[in-house]
Amino acid sequence: MVVGTATPRAIDIDFHHRVRQVSVDLGITSTLFPDTDCPAPQVACSAAVNGGAPELSDALLDKVAVYVRTLAVPARSAWDTSDVQQGKRLFTDIGCAGCHIPSL
């Protein structure tokens, strides 16, 4: 059971995380993340044209959440190559597996 209204934000427990990804990965602002995340070394990021404040309205943000939630994980390919196996070890060694479950 989910408490709240029947909006994508209310039923998507990962909504906040997904919006943060949009903010950090794409530099798009929203009411949840109104500031562009541009670390000092990213000069081009800081100089980029701002699309408004916020760039994504709450209504559009709800639509983005629905879209992102319906994206499938890409099919695993070349899983037995040495590069992929090295990446798998690195994923575990640096702690990614602590939050991102490698398999269920």
Side-chain angles (χ1 to χ4, degrees):
M1 180 174 138
V2 176
V3 177
T5 61
T7 66
R9 277 187 270 172
I11 59 177
D12 187 349
I13 59 171
D14 291 327
F15 179 79
H16 198 264
H17 178 73
R18 292 173 202 268
V19 172
R20 179 72 180 141
Q21 285 178 306
V22 168
S23 175
V24 172
D25 294 348
L26 302 177
I28 298 175
T29 60
S30 66
T31 55
L32 293 176
F33 295 97
D35 300 315
T36 305
D37 186 10
C38 295
Q42 294 183 356
V43 178
C45 176
S46 299
V49 175
N50 184 304
E55 294 169 300
L56 281 181
S57 66
D58 287 343
L60 187 53
L61 198 52
D62 285 341
K63 291 177 182 179
V64 169
V66 169
Y67 170 73
V68 171
R69 192 175 18 176
T70 60
L71 293 175
V73 174
R76 187 170 160 177
S77 62
W79 61 272
D80 57 349
T81 65
S82 62
D83 284 346
V84 172
Q85 293 303 313
Q86 181 181 4
K88 182 179 179 181
R89 284 189 298 277
L90 182 62
F91 182 87
T92 302
D93 292 348
I94 65 173
C96 297
C99 296
H100 302 276
I101 302 169
S103 63
L104 296 175

